[in-house]
Amino acid sequence: MASGTIRYWAAAKAAAGTAEEPYEASTLAEALHRARETHTQRPEFARVLLRCSFLVDGDPVGAREHAAVPLREGGTVEVLPPFAGGAL
């Protein structure tokens, strides 16, 4: 299991109520699951995550299965909501 940082941007930051938080997870799917559990008091958070794209250590995740995206020790996950147009 790796430890690192999740950074939230724009609407994801507002929904999480924080700009960043630590993760302890082996995969992106695991980190996002734990983040959802952490923010159960903020129902908007889970909804916003469904529309986000992700960077892991600067690399776009794209359409890859989140369970297949490994996280490394000291890594960074960037949570990026749509920035232009459309509704979250």
Side-chain angles (χ1 to χ4, degrees), residues 7 9 12 28 48-56 60-62 66 77-83:
R7 290 191 185 134
W9 298 96
L28 178 59
V48 168
L49 278 188
L50 293 174
R51 303 253 186 216
C52 288
S53 57
F54 305 93
L55 300 176
V56 174
V61 171
H66 294 169
V77 174
E78 308 277 349
V79 180
L80 308 168
F83 286 99

Side-chain angles (χ1 to χ4, degrees), residues 26-79:
S26 298
T27 66
L28 178 59
E30 189 179 329
L32 295 176
H33 175 76
R34 290 181 178 188
R36 284 184 196 94
E37 287 180 338
T38 298
H39 298 288
T40 56
Q41 299 301 317
R42 298 174 145 297
E44 181 70 7
F45 179 75
R47 190 172 79 80
V48 168
L49 278 188
L50 293 174
R51 303 253 186 216
C52 288
S53 57
F54 305 93
L55 300 176
V56 174
D57 299 328
D59 294 325
V61 171
R64 287 185 288 162
E65 184 66 37
H66 294 169
V69 178
L71 300 180
R72 67 174 184 80
E73 186 66 29
T76 302
V77 174
E78 308 277 349
V79 180

